[in-house]
Amino acid sequence: MAAAPVLRDIFNAYRTHQGEEDDGFLFEDEHAPISRLDVLVYRPTPTANLTSFATIGMAANEMSGTPGPGGGGRAELQFRRRGRLTRSDEGAIARRLANLAIHPFVTSTQLNWGHMIGLGEDFPTFPGCRAVFLAGPLSADGLDYVRTSVGAVRVINVVPITDTERERGRNLPPVEFAQSLLEHVDIFAERSQ
């Protein structure tokens, strides 16, 4: 089956912004809320020592439920991890992102910048990080939205956080919490225990 036009628009925007992907993982289940989800992998380059991941497929459907301020609509996830990873670690991260992508469709909730989600287990390659913070752009050149034929699709950055960071995040406005993370820890690397 051909990809929905919105997904082609997202794929083309990723290619323009990040170049050609190095690899990818495909998750298919005709009975799942998202029948097909791709997780693209961009490996480190000489100028950027980050392995990046981007979902394509979540935006095929609008999230249901009550949108929060600025929430709702369509979204895709991005994630970055410092350094080169094994193929097994890439696969574990891709599976976690696929599970996060179906979260709003299973729970009838919205995902939005500033939300925190408990995972019940460590995020792959981030020991001690049992939750994630969902953020907007994490750098000046980061994507906030992808303009598509069906409207803007929000790009949500997934940031693994520790229990201590999650507690602090509950007491701060989301923008302040994101700034404090960026100032005090390397959010792209595992935290020291």
Side-chain angles (χ1 to χ4, degrees):
M1 182 159 100
V6 64
L7 301 181
R8 283 194 304 273
D9 294 343
I10 292 165
F11 178 78
N12 290 331
Y14 285 169
R15 281 269 171 105
T16 299
H17 187 74
Q18 295 180 241
E20 188 172 340
E21 70 279 2
D22 294 304
D23 208 340
F25 294 85
L26 171 62
F27 299 92
E28 291 183 296
D29 181 346
E30 65 185 53
H31 303 292
I34 300 171
S35 60
R36 177 189 171 127
L37 183 86
D38 291 274
V39 180
L40 306 181
V41 179
Y42 304 86
R43 296 196 175 109
T45 66
T47 58
N49 187 30
L50 292 169
T51 301
S52 299
F53 298 79
T55 65
I56 298 180
M58 188 178 170
N61 302 311
E62 287 198 50
M63 290 182 276
S64 61
T66 305
R74 300 171 193 266
E76 292 290 352
L77 304 175
Q78 288 193 343
F79 172 76
R80 291 186 282 179
R81 171 69 160 91
R82 193 159 310 286
R84 185 169 290 279
L85 301 170
T86 66
R87 174 91 168 129
S88 174
D89 284 341
E90 289 175 352
I93 290 169
R95 275 187 300 284
R96 173 56 66 194
L97 293 175
N99 286 332
L100 284 169
I102 66 168
H103 177 81
F105 303 102
V106 171
T107 61
S108 295
T109 59
Q110 302 276 328
L111 290 185
N112 197 0
W113 300 338
H115 289 177
M116 290 187 281
I117 300 173
L119 304 174
E121 62 187 19
D122 290 349
F123 192 95
T125 77
F126 281 81
C129 292
R130 297 175 341 117
V132 292
F133 175 67
L134 305 180
L138 297 169
S139 64
D141 64 341
L143 290 174
D144 55 357
Y145 292 90
V146 172
R147 284 26 174 190
T148 72
S149 57
V150 297
V153 172
R154 180 182 307 268
V155 176
I156 299 174
N157 289 281
V158 176
V159 179
I161 55 175
T162 65
D163 291 342
T164 302
E165 291 165 344
R166 187 176 188 193
E167 269 311 304
R168 193 173 72 243
R170 288 181 173 139
N171 297 313
L172 291 173
V175 172
E176 284 183 38
F177 178 57
Q179 289 171 338
S180 75
L181 283 175
L182 290 169
E183 290 171 4
H184 295 101
V185 297
D186 181 354
I187 62 170
F188 305 120
E190 70 181 67
R191 315 291 194 278
S192 58
Q193 300 275 342

